[in-house]
Amino acid sequence: MLYMEISTWEPESRDLILEHFKEIKMPAGIKVHNQWVDLTGGRYFILYECDDAEALATFNLPWSDVCYIETVPVMGSTDFMSLMSKRN
């Protein structure tokens, strides 16, 4: 499944976030498609595939002490339209 994840943090957590980024390692089971950093600060976006709940938890839990993580299952709009047209 494809996920868009948005991580946000408070300005005072910036240094902790930078330290976490230096240590980041993707666990097996997560395939990253792309990553973006909000140039105005305080947000990070990542698009990845994952079908393994353990890999998802392994990736997210180390960040839970320094930021808020919103994980949203997503699908490309072309694929979504194709899926919806099959339903009718």
Side-chain angles (χ1 to χ4, degrees), residues 22-38:
K22 291 176 187 176
E23 304 288 324
I24 194 171
K25 293 179 183 149
M26 292 298 163
I30 291 184
K31 178 184 176 190
V32 175
H33 288 270
N34 212 333
Q35 303 171 66
W36 303 269
V37 175
D38 181 347

Side-chain angles (χ1 to χ4, degrees), residues 1-82:
M1 176 151 254
L2 195 59
Y3 295 95
M4 171 62 75
E5 195 163 277
I6 305 164
S7 299
T8 57
W9 55 89
E10 302 299 329
E12 60 270 10
S13 296
R14 185 198 66 193
D15 292 343
L16 289 171
I17 292 294
L18 291 173
E19 287 304 312
H20 270 9
F21 269 112
K22 291 176 187 176
E23 304 288 324
I24 194 171
K25 293 179 183 149
M26 292 298 163
I30 291 184
K31 178 184 176 190
V32 175
H33 288 270
N34 212 333
Q35 303 171 66
W36 303 269
V37 175
D38 181 347
L39 296 177
T40 63
R43 289 191 301 177
Y44 166 73
F45 306 86
I46 181 170
L47 180 66
Y48 62 89
E49 284 183 66
C50 182
D51 293 322
D52 179 358
E54 186 175 339
L56 186 62
T58 299
F59 176 56
N60 282 324
L61 284 175
W63 292 88
S64 64
D65 62 335
V66 295
C67 66
Y68 307 100
I69 301 170
E70 180 181 3
T71 305
V72 181
V74 296
M75 176 183 280
S77 59
T78 303
D79 293 337
F80 178 77
M81 294 306 292
S82 176

